[in-house]
C-alpha cells in the first residue's frame, strides 16, 4: 500500500521530536530507480511556504530522487531563514543517502511541510530525524510514512491501483485541496510504470483538476499544498498514457474521498452534483458556490433540506441559468422545481453521513461534482481552541 | 427616531400573525409629502424574491408613497403565486390608504419581505394585518415599525442624523449586506429634505457602497436585501448634495455597525482595515477575502492572533502585493512584518468584542474597511437547529 506499493521505492516514518506530543512527524520517500521522473502540483496561493518554493524549483528538470516531509510546522511566512532551513533539510537528505551509497544532490530532493504558519522549524530535531528516518528506509515503510504526515487527521490515508504489471500508490494528509485548499494537503504518489516527466505531469494535472481541486471542505486555501508523483520505472512497463492517467485519477479520487471523510469537525460529506450546465466551468463555479455557503453547510449539519440556501448560492454565480428553471434535489427528492417549491421536503432522509445535492441548471449538458463538508460546532472548536 | 424622525412620514408596526410566535411581523411606512421622491438598492443575487422584483419595478419612476414590510416569510422562490401575493399586498396598501384619503396606486407601494425562503406567505393573515397597521399609522410609529421587521435580530436598529433644518433617519434588520448579503437585510431610510430622485439615488448608492456593502458577516448573499430612501420634502429645505450624501452615509454607517454588532451567534466584531493598497478595488478584495476565511474567523473567536491565516487569505487574491512585503497588525500589534514573524503575538489583547485587523499591502496608498464577525458554535446552532 501507500508509497511503497509500487516497486522501486523505500520509505520511513519516524518521530523526530518536531511535534511536542512525541507523535511521528517526519517521513522520507526514496525512489531507488532505475528512473527518476517526477511531476508536481502546488498551491495556487501567492503566499507560498518555503518548501513549496523549493520543491517547485527542484522539479523544474522533471526529476526527483526523494521527498522529505514533516508535520508539526508549515515553515510558511518564515522569511529567508525558513528557506535556508528547507535547503538545509534537502542537503541533509542528500548527505545521508550518499552515505548509503546513493549519489544524489540536494536539487533532487523535494521538501514538504505542514503545521502552524509563521514558526521556524526546530532544525536541531529535524536534521537528526532525517538520519533516523534514512536508517529505517524500507520497501515496507509506506504505512509509517503515511502516519508521520498526519496533523489533525484522525486516520492515515493511502490508496493503490494495480494494473497489468504496474502500480500507482500514494498517501495523503489533511482535509484539503489545491486551489483553493484548507488545512494543508500533502500527497505523494509513486509508480513503477516507466513514464517520462511529461507523461507524469499530464496525468497528474488531469487527475488533480478532477479530484483534489474539487474538494472544498472549508473554502480556505493553504500556503503549503503539495502533490508529487514519482516514477521509478522498476516494472519495466510503459503503459498507454490514457491507462496511466486513469490509474492516477483513480488513486487521487480515492485519496480525495478519504480527505473529505476525515475533514476537521465534519459530520456530513456532501456530494454536490451540478448537472445540465452550459459549460464545465459553469458547473464548477456553481458547485463551489454551494460548497462554500456557510448557511447551507449549517443546515446540512442540522439535517435540514434547506433548498432555499442552495438557490441563493447559485444566484451569486455568473453561470448561465434562468432562476425559474432551476431544479434542486437533496438525496434524490426534488424539493425545488422550476425555481419554486417542489416535492415535500419531509420526504428527504438525511440521517446518513453522505448527503447528495443535485443542482440542475437546465442550461446545457455539462456536469461537475464538488465534495464539501458541513459546518459544525466541532469545526469551530478545532479551529478556535488552539493555534493550528 | 427611526423612519419617523424626519417630518412628513407616518409608520406603524403590528402583529399580523405571520410569525407563529405572535411577535410583531408587519410594518408600514407612509410618505405624507409634499414630495414622493425615492431611490432603492437591491440584492445583486440573480435569484430575487418576488418583493424585490416588484419594488425594483415600482421604483423605476423614482417615486414611492409607502413601503410595506413583513418578517416571518421571505416570499422568495415562490413562483408566479409569490409575485401575485406581493402585488396583492401592494394593492391592499393602496386600498386602505385610499380609504384614509390618500389617493395612491399599487405602483407607488414598495414591498419587502424577510424570513424562510420557499414558503408562500399566509395572505389570510397578511392582508388584514395591512388594515390593522394602517389604522395605527402615526408620526411616532418609527420604533414599532423597526421592531416589526426583526427576525433573528436581538435588538431593533434605528439611526438618525439631524442637520440644518432637515433630517435623515432610518431602520434596519438583519446582520447583512447587499452584495453579497446574508440573513436578509432590510433598510428603510426617510428624509424631509427636498431632494429629487436622482439626488437620492446618487447619495444612496454612494452610502451603500461604503457601508452595507462592506459588511460581510458570513459571506452569504440574500435573495431579499433591500435598501430604500424616501424623501418627503416636508422641511422645505434642499441641502447641498455633498451635505445630503454625507448625512445618508452617516446614518447607513451607524446602521451597518449595528448589524455587525448583532450578527447571528457572533461574539466578536472584526474591523478589517486594508491599507497601502494599489487600488481601492484591491483593498476591498483583500478585505473581503480576510472577512470570509472560516479558519481565521474561528481563530478570532478563540482570541488567537493567528496572522498566518490572514496571510493565507491575502494570498488567494489578485491584488497587487509582494508576499515578503506584507505587514499585519492585530489590535495594533504588528505580529507580521515583511511577510514573516513580527512582534510577539502574546502582546495582542483580544478580550474585547471589537477586534481590529490591519493588513498593509505595501503597494500603494488606497484603503478600505470591511466589517466581519467571528465564526462560533452559536452561529452553527442558530443556522442548523431549525429552518431559517
Amino acid at each position: 500500500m501507500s508509497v511503497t506499493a509500487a516497486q522501486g521505492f523505500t520509505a520511513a516514518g519516524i518521530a523526530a521530536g518536531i511535534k511536542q506530543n512525541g507523535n511521528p512527524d517526519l517521513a522520507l520517500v526514496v525512489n531507488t530507480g532505475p528512473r527518476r521522473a517526477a511531476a508536481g502540483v502546488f498551491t495556487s496561493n501567492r503566499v507560498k511556504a518555503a518548501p513549496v518554493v523549493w520543491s517547485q524549483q527542484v522539479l523544474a528538470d522533471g526529476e526527483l530522487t526523494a521527498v522529505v516531509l514533516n508535520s508539526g510546522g508549515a515553515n510558511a511566512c518564515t522569511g529567508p531563514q525558513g528557506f535556508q532551513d528547507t535547503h538545509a533539510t534537502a542537503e541533509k537528505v542528500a548527505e545521508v543517502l550518499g552515505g548509503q551509497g546513493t549519489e544524489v544532490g540536494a536539487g533532487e530532493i523535494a521538501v514538504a511541510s505542514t503545521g502552524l504558519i509563521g514558526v521556524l522549524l526546530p532544525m536541531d530535531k529535524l536534521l537528526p530525524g532525517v538520519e533516523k528516518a534514512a536508517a529505517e528506509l524500507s520497501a515496507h515503510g509506506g504505512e509509517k510514512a503515511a502516519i508521520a504526515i498526519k496533523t489533525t487527521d484522525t486516520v492515515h490515508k493511502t490508496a493503490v491501483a494495480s494494473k497489468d504489471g504496474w502500480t500507482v500508490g500514494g498517501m495523503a494528509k489533511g482535509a484539503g485541496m489545491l486551489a483553493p485548499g484548507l488545512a494543508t494537503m500533502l500527497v505523494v504518489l509513486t509508480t513503477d510504470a516507466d513514464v517520462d516527466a511529461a507523461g507524469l505531469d499530464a496525468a497528474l494535472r488531469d487527475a488533480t483538476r478532477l479530484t483534489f481541486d474539487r474538494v472544498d471542505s472549508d473554502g480556505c486555501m493553504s500556503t503549503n499544498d503539495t502533490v508529487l508523483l514519482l516514477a521509478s520505472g522498476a516494472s519495466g512497463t510503459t503503459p498507454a498514457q490514457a491507462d496511466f492517467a486513469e490509474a492516477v485519477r483513480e488513486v487521487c479520487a480515492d485519496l480525495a474521498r478519504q480527505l473529505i471523510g476525515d475533514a476537521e469537525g465534519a459530520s456530513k460529506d456532501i456530494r454536490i452534483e451540478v448537472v445540465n450546465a452550459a459549460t464545465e466551468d459553469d458547473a464548477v463555479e456553481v458547485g463551489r458556490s454551494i460548497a462554500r455557503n456557510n448557511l447551507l453547510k449549517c443546515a446540512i449539519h442540522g439535517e435540514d433540506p434547506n433548498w432555499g440556501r442552495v438557490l441563493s448560492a447559485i444566484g451569486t454565480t455568473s453561470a448561465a441559468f434562468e432562476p425559474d428553471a432551476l431544479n434542486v434535489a437533496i438525496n434524490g427528492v426534488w424539493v425545488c422545481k422550476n425555481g419554486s417549491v417542489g416535492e415535500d421536503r419531509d420526504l428527504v432522509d438525511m440521517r446518513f453521513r453522505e448527503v447528495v445535492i443535485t443542482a440542475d441548471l437546465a442550461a446545457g449538458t455539462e456536469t461537475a461534482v464538488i465534495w464539501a463538508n458541513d459546518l459544525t460546532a466541532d469545526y469551530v472548536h478545532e479551529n478556535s481552541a488552539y493555534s493550528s
Side-chain angles (χ1 to χ4, degrees), chain A:
Chain A
M1 296 297 110
S2 187
V3 288
T4 47
Q7 301 174 66
F9 292 92
T10 59
I14 58 106
I18 305 167
K19 285 180 179 165
Q20 292 188 347
N21 62 10
N23 283 343
D25 50 21
L26 190 82
L28 189 58
V29 181
V30 178
N31 183 348
T32 57
R35 307 274 184 242
R36 298 281 189 278
V41 175
F42 301 90
T43 183
S44 59
N45 200 311
R46 292 167 60 201
V47 176
K48 294 183 202 305
V52 169
V53 176
W54 171 267
S55 297
Q56 285 183 310
Q57 289 177 6
V58 301
L59 255 175
D61 66 354
E63 292 211 340
L64 280 183
T65 297
V67 186
V68 57
L69 310 95
N70 75 275
S71 50
N75 198 8
C77 306
T78 44
Q81 183 63 48
F83 192 79
Q84 286 173 33
D85 288 347
T86 290
H87 188 171
T89 303
E91 290 284 3
K92 184 71 181 178
V93 172
E95 173 196 325
V96 297
L97 292 183
Q100 295 181 348
T102 305
E103 282 309 313
V104 55
E108 297 167 58
I109 315 290
V111 182
S113 301
T114 176
L116 186 60
I117 297 175
V119 180
L120 289 168
L121 290 171
M123 297 303 287
D124 58 328
K125 291 173 178 160
L126 198 153
L127 296 182
V130 169
E131 293 186 15
K132 186 176 168 189
E136 297 196 11
L137 282 169
S138 148
H140 306 286
E143 294 291 325
K144 284 190 176 174
I147 290 167
I149 59 174
K150 285 169 58 185
T151 52
T152 57
D153 308 68
T154 64
V155 292
H156 65 286
K157 289 120 188 154
T158 65
V160 65
S162 285
K163 303 297 175 182
D164 193 18
W166 53 276
T167 292
V168 177
M171 64 180 185
K173 67 79 44 186
M177 69 177 149
L178 293 170
L182 55 142
T184 297
M185 182 183 69
L186 302 184
V187 178
V188 179
L189 305 171
T190 58
T191 182
D192 47 21
D194 190 358
V195 181
D196 65 13
L200 297 176
D201 187 70
L204 188 62
R205 288 187 187 281
D206 171 64
T208 55
R209 186 178 76 82
L210 295 171
T211 60
F212 298 123
D213 198 27
R214 295 195 180 173
V215 166
D216 197 326
S217 177
D218 71 356
C220 299
M221 192 198 303
S222 167
T223 50
N224 288 57
D225 294 324
T226 299
V227 183
L228 299 172
L229 171 55
L230 287 68
S232 68
S235 71
T237 302
T238 299
Q241 178 69 21
D243 294 341
F244 180 68
E246 187 183 337
V248 173
R249 200 159 54 230
E250 187 181 317
V251 171
C252 288
D254 189 338
L255 292 172
R257 184 65 187 83
Q258 292 180 53
L259 292 172
I260 278 288
D262 192 32
E264 287 180 344
S267 73
K268 301 284 188 191
D269 305 336
I270 312 172
R271 177 183 166 90
I272 301 161
E273 307 174 335
V274 183
V275 301
N276 298 324
T279 66
E280 186 180 351
D281 284 350
D282 274 8
V284 171
E285 182 190 359
V286 167
R288 220 179 265 295
S289 178
I290 296 170
R292 291 183 182 174
N293 189 284
N294 278 352
L295 289 173
L296 176 65
K297 288 158 72 88
C298 287
I300 300 298
H301 176 53
E303 303 189 345
D304 169 17
N306 198 321
W307 59 267
R309 294 179 182 174
V310 178
L311 255 65
S312 68
I314 298 173
T316 65
T317 70
S318 60
F321 68 83
E322 291 301 323
D324 59 4
L326 294 170
N327 305 298
V328 173
I330 299 179
N331 283 353
V333 180
W334 289 94
V335 284
C336 170
K337 290 183 179 175
N338 298 318
S340 184
V341 186
E343 293 173 29
D344 185 354
R345 43 175 282 151
D346 291 341
L347 297 174
V348 181
D349 182 352
M350 299 179 72
R351 288 171 299 171
F352 298 101
R353 183 173 174 107
E354 184 167 317
V355 174
V356 180
I357 297 176
T358 312
D360 171 8
L361 302 188
T365 58
E366 296 299 314
T367 187
V369 173
I370 300 282
W371 281 92
N373 291 108
D374 57 343
L375 183 54
T376 71
D378 286 347
Y379 174 87
V380 174
H381 178 75
E382 280 205 43
N383 290 294
S384 64
Y386 52 88
S387 267
S388 62

